[in-house]
Amino acid sequence: MSFDLVLFGGTGDLAWRKLLPALAQAYRHGSLPQGGRIIGVARDSLTDDEYRALIRSRFEGVEDDKQPTGEEFQRFAQLLHYQRMDLTQPDDYQQLKSRLAERNADVVVMYLATAPQLFTVACEQLGAAGLATPQTRVVLEKPLGHDLQSNRAINAAVRRVFDEGQIFRIDHYLGKPSVQNLLALRFGNALFEPWWRRETIASIEITIAEQLGVEARGAFYDGTGALRDMVQNHALQLLCAIAMEPPINAHADAIRDEKLKVLRSLSPWTPTTLAQDVVRGQYAAGSLAGQRVPGYREEDGVAPASHTETFVALRTQIANWRWAGVPFYIRTGKRLAAREAHIAIHLRPTPHAIYPTPLVCGANRLVIHLQPRDGLALHLFAAASETRGAQALAEAPGLTPVQLDLDFEQRFGSRRVGAYERLLLDVIAGRLNLFVRADEQEAAWRWVEPIMQSWQEQDARGEGPRLYAAGTWGPGAASALVARDGNTWIEEC
């Protein structure tokens, strides 16, 4: 199957940090379909050879295991081409059309790795130039809008040009091997389904923690914040994967129908829950690995009096029979104590205790590690085996925490496929399972919008985010949030 992948924003950070290394990995693995061509599009004036040299130099900053050797890159580079374009100029789209007509590939992928405000004009121009054919697929990077209204406007503009089946709204978290294993855990094993419900599960914690600050993205991040950047998409998609009902099959719409039901079942926000169940934070100066790091307001591109949140913790519930009464906690932030993403499923205690049980909170739970580890850890109680006196042996045995640990990285090793590699191959093949449908996105925006409105009102009253020192786990209010239910975050156990 021949394909042309047109990479709008072909000289940008996303292109050389993530997309082109992922395509190079697919080429190395032999999974990239033969007969492919990758056309980088940007406003710079470059020849094909100059573009190849630029990407080769940028690859030096890519993670070691994703760096092709000189010989590998030389072969991969034969797929790379360049087209200078101004996305607002119709004539430039006609030149692109002429170049694509040289091969008339079976599939044409238009990957919009550009600023979101260019999505609408790019799609309109693609339609006007006759480039939105049945063989065309369009990929939209996040963030898709900055609120519900802008999201609807972008989706409406794109759907005027492309059918829903041609639109691939990408969330790279859905391509992670760990998230694939989360779905396999739930729907490929009969073991878990009987207890995957309120009668057995006491609470669920979703944490996506980053040690990095905003790096060179201060200006972008200051207009976005953690709620838009992480909660509205990544965290809610993880919540859906945990909480959704089993789909009738593995087809894209069957899976996305069930995720949509979860989003529509999230408890609506009220003034009381907005005040009690949402914590907004911003990192101040602190230390990581013994090094001082600046506060958020000291970062380049950030307004000196910015109220943009770099941390969010919230508590919510799902109003349906399976999950009624089970609190779901979501937490994400920058400059935290560790780079760690996990889902912790806390089980209810036994209804009648017959063994002396130690007062520890680290057992009786399943932890699904997403990054940097990828695996499962089942924390249980087992009978202690230490030598004890005769009187103690005549009594019930004491219990001690133990765990069963499965590391997918060790089990599958070099056969693992990265998130963007998996998603790009799915786009070329036309598989929509791991992409987000428009109504899912709208439901997610609808749910987070009251939080954004509440923060705007707080800002007007001079009530900004709570400060936390870089290198910690966020504001103390995040611990108080879960403590009200008698719970703790897992690192506090």
Side-chain angles (χ1 to χ4, degrees):
M1 177 184 68
S2 62
F3 72 89
D4 279 336
L5 194 158
V6 183
L7 185 53
F8 293 83
T11 58
D13 278 4
L14 180 64
W16 68 263
R17 286 184 187 274
K18 299 293 184 182
L19 302 180
L20 288 170
L23 289 164
Q25 283 288 88
Y27 184 79
R28 171 193 281 175
H29 296 156
S31 53
L32 194 67
Q34 297 203 5
R37 179 173 63 167
I38 301 163
I39 303 175
V41 166
R43 299 185 69 167
D44 309 87
S45 296
L46 300 171
T47 65
D48 289 353
D49 285 339
E50 288 170 338
Y51 182 59
R52 292 164 184 158
L54 172 66
I55 298 304
R56 182 70 186 99
S57 67
R58 295 287 176 85
F59 266 32
E60 295 174 3
V62 173
E63 299 171 26
D64 289 344
D65 61 341
K66 294 183 180 177
Q67 276 198 32
T69 65
E71 183 181 345
E72 286 173 336
F73 184 84
Q74 190 173 10
R75 293 198 304 268
F76 172 70
Q78 299 310 303
L79 277 63
L80 298 180
H81 302 266
Y82 184 79
Q83 181 82 31
R84 185 197 175 281
M85 283 185 67
D86 180 337
L87 299 189
T88 65
Q89 297 301 313
D91 288 348
D92 288 358
Y93 289 85
Q94 292 298 329
Q95 293 177 19
L96 176 63
K97 183 178 182 180
S98 298
R99 192 158 192 179
L100 293 175
E102 295 168 1
R103 293 188 349 125
N104 195 25
D106 298 326
V107 171
V108 177
V109 176
M110 304 290 186
Y111 198 120
L112 301 185
T114 65
Q117 55 266 32
L118 292 174
F119 289 174
T120 297
V121 66
C123 288
E124 289 173 346
Q125 293 287 358
L126 288 170
L131 286 167
T133 70
Q135 289 74 41
T136 306
R137 292 156 194 165
V138 62
V139 183
L140 305 177
E141 264 289 347
K142 77 171 188 71
L144 206 64
H146 60 273
D147 56 16
L148 179 60
Q149 182 179 357
S150 59
N151 175 259
R152 282 175 167 167
I154 291 172
N155 276 325
V158 176
R159 281 197 299 257
R160 284 195 291 269
V161 180
F162 297 98
D163 294 335
E164 183 65 32
Q166 297 175 278
I167 304 171
F168 291 73
R169 300 173 189 84
I170 199 166
D171 183 333
H172 74 271
Y173 252 69
L174 295 181
K176 286 180 176 290
S178 51
V179 178
Q180 300 308 300
N181 276 316
L182 170 57
L183 296 174
L185 170 76
R186 286 209 55 199
F187 305 128
N189 300 283
L191 173 65
F192 297 103
E193 180 58 26
W195 58 264
W196 210 266
R197 58 191 66 249
R198 62 184 299 274
E199 289 83 3
T200 309
I201 294 176
S203 65
I204 295 179
E205 164 194 336
I206 299 172
T207 290
I208 307 173
E210 299 177 274
Q211 281 188 310
L212 292 175
V214 295
E215 305 305 298
R217 300 168 66 238
F220 164 79
Y221 194 88
D222 206 38
T224 304
L227 186 72
R228 291 183 176 94
D229 191 44
M230 298 297 290
V231 175
Q232 182 272 333
N233 39 68
H234 302 330
L236 286 184
Q237 286 293 321
L238 291 176
L239 184 147
C240 288
I242 280 290
M244 63 191 277
E245 295 295 321
I248 58 173
N249 54 44
H251 294 165
D253 278 334
I255 294 170
R256 299 193 291 187
D257 286 346
E258 298 303 334
K259 289 196 294 178
L260 180 61
K261 290 177 186 177
V262 174
L263 293 168
R264 289 176 172 171
S265 299
L266 288 169
S267 295
W269 296 105
T270 68
T272 299
T273 57
L274 285 168
Q276 294 181 349
D277 295 343
V278 181
V279 176
R280 175 174 59 148
Q282 185 186 94
Y283 66 83
S287 63
L288 278 167
Q291 299 291 321
R292 183 196 179 276
V293 293
Y296 176 71
R297 295 179 183 180
E298 301 171 60
E299 302 277 17
D300 290 341
V302 174
S306 173
H307 282 181
T308 297
E309 78 286 354
T310 62
F311 177 95
V312 179
L314 59 86
R315 177 191 188 277
T316 188
Q317 295 192 52
I318 297 172
N320 63 20
W321 277 37
R322 181 185 290 266
W323 297 113
V326 176
F328 285 74
Y329 307 110
I330 292 175
R331 174 180 59 165
T332 185
K334 289 188 174 295
R335 286 291 189 216
L336 297 182
R339 177 177 178 260
E340 170 69 21
H342 62 253
I343 301 168
I345 300 168
H346 300 273
L347 306 177
R348 296 190 184 278
T350 55
H352 175 63
I354 63 173
Y355 297 107
T357 304
L359 295 176
V360 296
C361 62
N364 212 26
R365 72 185 182 204
L366 172 68
V367 181
I368 303 166
H369 294 282
L370 305 174
Q371 69 179 28
R373 285 189 57 201
D374 177 9
L376 305 174
L378 183 58
H379 299 254
L380 306 167
F381 285 118
S385 60
E386 70 272 11
T387 302
R388 299 185 297 162
Q391 178 63 32
L393 288 173
E395 299 171 354
L399 300 182
T400 188
V402 297
Q403 74 180 59
L404 303 172
D405 205 339
L406 175 60
D407 189 321
F408 290 128
E409 201 68 46
Q410 290 185 5
R411 172 62 182 84
F412 299 112
S414 61
R415 289 183 290 166
R416 313 224 76 191
V417 175
Y420 271 109
E421 181 181 350
R422 169 68 183 269
L423 294 171
L424 285 162
L425 292 174
D426 279 0
V427 174
I428 294 169
R431 294 186 291 263
L432 284 158
N433 299 50
L434 301 181
F435 296 85
V436 183
R437 204 167 58 192
D439 50 5
E440 284 183 77
Q441 279 193 332
E442 290 189 14
W445 277 115
R446 189 178 297 110
W447 187 72
V448 302
E449 198 158 63
I451 302 175
M452 293 166 15
Q453 293 170 350
S454 172
W455 288 349
Q456 288 176 357
E457 294 167 5
Q458 290 177 18
D459 291 344
R461 298 193 299 266
E463 302 171 11
R466 301 170 187 266
L467 297 180
Y468 62 95
T472 67
W473 280 101
S479 296
L481 173 72
V482 298
R484 287 199 299 270
D485 296 325
N487 298 321
T488 62
W489 303 102
I490 66 171
E491 78 279 352
E492 298 172 342
C493 286

